[in-house]
């Protein structure tokens, strides 16, 4: 197609070119349509010659098809043979000897030791008889775990699970000889003082271990920041020697497993002092604080004895603040159950600052009548006024002696017995009290 100029416009000049048509007979036309590849001299062939070529081509096709069928049949037979071999091979497979030979080879060249060591160092829990054995171990690495069967000796009650780390934290940790740290894992709030190194044999000084246990659990509660995280510290059957005041926390409850004795060699002050610390309060509301403290704080169901061994004029158990005044700090809505406090100048001292709704049940406060020992003392010479205290404090089924009152307070005695010489309740400064 070309363009012709007419004036300022271009017009197409379209002249179609028609090719020559060939006249084909019906037979040739059909052959050409079905077998276009017969020959280039197609037009010169007669119908007979053309038919011969077609037949020749068809014979080649038939031969090829027969060859394909033979090949497919051979392939099928080979597949059946392979399937039977595989089935029979695995049904009768016995490679134990080959495995044994390979393991022997790996054991000889050290490959097996490397694989086992790599697995144990990363995933296994290493077992040790004591904490000392764990500290001296050379196979512990960062990220592994260790479990001890005891702290000082096997089955002494101090067995625990530890996580090995290269970082020192605020959690309770044992420092290892290789520079790593074994962090004590507290499982299901089940922890006891022997896991912190206490002996409970009446000979070794357990003060540091017990205080460490109390502080660790208290800090854990504060870190959790919820009353559901409150911890219970267990004392396992034994005789625990202390030589200085143990500071108990309202955030850590005390419970005994078996008969427990705390032998106090404290020479002054109090043997046990239950008091809240500055940062014990997680929630700044009084109702939440009450939730923290309610329940059995000391549970001596199996027997819990605090005994004075120093022959000094010391206090057995002191509860409450001595002078600080904060409505959110105190001791409330808690119970001390099943405890015996023996041979102290003052068995139980109550500091009447934010002290209320406390319950004492099945307590035995036994002192020396001859030495004029006091079973319960409220306040002291410097604390003669009750501050937000005194409501619903009760003693039930208790064995008591004389009571000395410096600050007025309301105490209810239910089914209690008193062993005394001169007085049941005495007020040195003639303060008022109700009985």
């Amino acid at each position: 197609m070309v363009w012709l100029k007419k004036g300022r416009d271009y017009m197409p000049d379209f002249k179609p070119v028609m090719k020559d048509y060939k006249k084909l007979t019906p037979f040739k036309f059909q052959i050409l349509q079905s077998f276009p590849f017969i020959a280039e001299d197609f037009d010169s062939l007669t119908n007979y010659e053309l038919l011969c070529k077609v037949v020749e081509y068809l014979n080649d096709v038939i031969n090829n098809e027969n060859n394909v069928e033979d090949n497919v049949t051979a392939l099928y037979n080979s597949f059946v043979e392979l399937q039977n071999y595989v089935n029979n091979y695995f049904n009768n497979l016995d490679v134990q000897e080959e495995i044994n030979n390979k393991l022997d080879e790996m054991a000889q060249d050290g490959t097996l030791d490397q694989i086992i060591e790599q697995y144990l160092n990363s995933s296994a829990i290493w077992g040790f008889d004591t904490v000392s054995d764990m500290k001296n171990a050379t196979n512990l690495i960062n990220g592994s775990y260790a479990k001890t069967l005891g702290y000082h000796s096997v089955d002494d009650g101090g067995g625990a699970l530890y996580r090995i780390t290269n970082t020192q934290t605020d959690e309770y940790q044992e420092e290892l000889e290789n520079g790593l740290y074994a962090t004590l894992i507290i499982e299901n709030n089940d922890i006891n003082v022997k896991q912190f190194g206490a002996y409970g044999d009446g000979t070794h000084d357990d003060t540091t271990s017990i205080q460490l246990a109390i502080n660790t659990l208290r800090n854990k509660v504060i870190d959790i920041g919820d009353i559901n995280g409150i911890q219970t510290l267990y004392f396992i059957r034994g005789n625990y020697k202390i030589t200085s005041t143990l500071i108990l926390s309202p955030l850590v409850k005390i419970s005994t497993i078996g008969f427990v004795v705390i032998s106090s060699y404290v020479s002054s002050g109090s043997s046990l002092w239950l008091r809240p610390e500055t940062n014990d309060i997680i929630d700044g509301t009084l109702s939440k604080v009450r939730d923290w403290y309610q329940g059995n704080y000391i549970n001596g169901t199996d027997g819990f004895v605090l005994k004075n061994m120093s022959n000094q004029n010391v206090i057995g158990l002191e509860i409450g603040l001595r002078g600080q005044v904060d409505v959110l700090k105190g001791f409330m809505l808690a119970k001390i159950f099943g405890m015996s406090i023996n041979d102290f100048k003052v068995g139980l001292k109550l500091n009447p600052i934010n002290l209320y709704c406390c319950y004492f049940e099945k307590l035995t406060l036994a002192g020396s009548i001859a030495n004029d020992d006091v079973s319960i003392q409220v306040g002291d010479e410097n604390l003669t006024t009750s501050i937000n205290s005194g409501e619903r404090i009760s003693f039930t089924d208790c064995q008591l002696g004389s009571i000395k009152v410096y600050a007025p307070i309301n105490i209810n005695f239910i089914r209690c017995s008193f062993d005394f010489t001169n007085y049941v309740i005495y007020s040195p400064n003639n303060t008022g009290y109700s009985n």
Side-chain angles (χ1 to χ4, degrees):
M1 183 179 66
V2 298
W3 294 82
L4 299 178
K5 185 174 181 181
K6 289 184 177 182
R8 294 181 179 182
D9 299 325
Y10 286 88
M11 300 296 292
D13 183 16
F14 182 76
K15 295 179 179 180
V17 178
M18 304 298 291
K19 294 184 178 181
D20 295 334
Y21 286 95
K22 297 178 180 180
K23 294 184 68 175
L24 298 176
T25 63
F27 176 74
K28 283 191 173 184
F29 178 78
Q30 181 63 35
I31 294 301
L32 181 61
Q33 293 297 319
S34 302
F35 305 99
F37 41 79
I38 291 295
E40 294 181 358
D41 55 350
F42 178 82
D43 294 335
S44 64
L45 296 177
T46 66
N47 288 343
Y48 176 75
E49 292 172 333
L50 186 61
L51 181 61
C52 289
K53 283 185 174 291
V54 170
V55 170
E56 180 182 0
Y57 175 77
L58 291 177
N59 286 333
D60 291 338
V61 171
I62 292 172
N63 289 332
N64 290 335
E65 288 296 326
N66 290 336
N67 291 334
V68 169
E69 181 182 5
D70 293 340
N71 291 334
V72 171
T73 301
L75 179 62
Y76 172 78
N77 293 333
S78 298
F79 178 78
V80 171
E81 182 180 358
L82 176 61
Q83 184 181 27
N84 292 333
Y85 172 78
V86 170
N87 291 339
N88 293 332
Y89 178 82
F90 284 102
N91 288 336
N92 302 301
L93 182 63
D94 184 7
V95 295
Q96 187 60 54
E97 184 176 355
E98 296 180 26
I99 293 175
N100 292 340
N101 292 336
K102 185 60 178 179
L103 289 175
D104 290 340
E105 178 184 338
M106 295 173 65
Q108 292 176 0
D109 63 19
T111 305
L112 185 60
D113 289 340
Q114 294 176 3
I115 294 174
I116 295 175
E117 181 179 4
Q118 181 179 6
Y119 168 77
L120 292 178
N121 286 339
S122 60
S123 304
I125 298 178
W126 291 92
F128 301 95
D129 287 344
T130 65
V131 169
S132 177
D133 294 334
M134 177 183 67
K135 287 182 175 181
N136 293 314
T138 59
N139 54 354
L140 294 176
I141 64 172
N142 181 40
S144 59
Y145 290 82
K147 187 174 182 62
T148 59
L149 299 179
Y151 193 95
H152 300 288
S153 60
V154 175
D155 295 331
D156 64 0
L161 179 65
Y162 298 86
R163 181 180 67 256
I164 308 303
T165 177
N166 56 7
T167 305
Q168 190 172 15
T169 67
D170 293 335
E171 300 174 274
Y172 177 74
Q173 295 179 316
E174 298 283 354
E175 187 173 0
L176 309 183
E177 292 297 328
N178 61 5
L180 299 176
Y181 299 91
T183 303
L184 178 65
I185 297 177
I186 300 177
E187 302 177 283
N188 302 320
N189 291 343
D190 186 7
I191 203 75
N192 72 80
V193 294
K194 290 192 174 183
Q195 291 172 315
F196 292 81
Y199 284 88
D201 59 3
T203 301
H204 291 86
D205 187 354
D206 291 326
T207 309
T208 301
S209 297
I210 296 174
Q211 190 65 68
L212 184 60
I214 294 170
N215 294 345
T216 298
L217 296 191
R218 171 182 169 274
N219 292 337
K220 182 175 177 62
V221 175
I222 294 174
D223 290 341
I224 294 174
D226 190 281
I227 61 174
N228 295 322
I230 197 163
Q231 303 289 306
T232 297
L233 177 63
Y234 291 92
F235 282 74
I236 297 178
R237 179 184 293 106
N239 186 348
Y240 298 86
K241 177 182 177 180
I242 63 172
T243 56
S244 60
T245 302
L246 286 178
I247 305 299
L248 309 182
S249 169
L251 302 184
V252 181
K253 295 183 178 181
I254 303 295
S255 188
T256 60
I257 301 176
F259 188 76
V260 171
V261 176
I262 295 183
S263 296
S264 173
Y265 290 84
V266 178
S267 59
S268 63
S270 301
S271 296
L272 307 180
W273 185 9
L274 172 56
R275 71 182 191 198
E277 299 291 340
T278 302
N279 61 340
D280 275 354
I281 305 306
I282 307 302
D283 188 290
T285 62
L286 185 59
S287 61
K288 182 65 72 172
V289 175
R290 289 169 177 167
D291 290 339
W292 279 94
Y293 294 162
Q294 61 184 333
N296 281 346
Y297 173 73
I298 294 180
N299 187 353
T301 302
D302 294 336
F304 189 19
V305 176
L306 173 62
K307 186 175 182 179
N308 183 12
M309 304 296 293
S310 67
N311 295 320
Q312 301 295 321
N313 294 333
V314 296
I315 300 169
L317 172 62
E318 180 177 359
I319 298 177
L321 302 170
R322 290 178 178 171
Q324 309 91 328
V325 178
D326 188 331
V327 72
L328 294 180
K329 296 182 178 67
F331 188 74
M332 62 201 80
L333 293 170
K335 178 190 287 186
I336 294 180
F337 177 86
M339 187 175 183
S340 179
I341 303 176
N342 300 336
D343 301 327
F344 288 92
K345 187 63 179 178
V346 176
L348 174 64
K349 182 174 185 286
L350 302 177
N351 296 328
I353 299 178
N354 302 335
L355 182 71
Y356 57 91
C357 299
C358 299
Y359 309 98
F360 302 87
E361 185 175 349
K362 295 188 181 301
L363 262 63
T364 299
L365 302 175
S368 171
I369 297 177
N371 294 331
D372 200 23
D373 291 345
V374 175
S375 63
I376 302 173
Q377 178 175 307
V378 181
D380 53 38
E381 293 85 351
N382 299 315
L383 183 56
T384 59
T385 302
S386 295
I387 303 175
N388 192 34
S389 299
E391 179 185 358
R392 285 177 291 177
I393 296 178
S394 66
F395 290 79
T396 303
D397 296 323
C398 298
Q399 299 179 34
L400 309 172
S402 298
I403 300 173
K404 184 178 290 188
V405 179
Y406 286 89
I409 195 171
N410 187 306
I411 302 177
N412 297 314
F413 298 99
I414 304 170
R415 297 187 303 274
C416 295
S417 62
F418 297 86
D419 189 5
F420 62 96
T421 300
N422 297 319
Y423 58 86
V424 176
I425 300 178
Y426 170 66
S427 178
N429 56 351
N430 294 318
T431 186
Y433 61 86
S434 61
N435 180 14

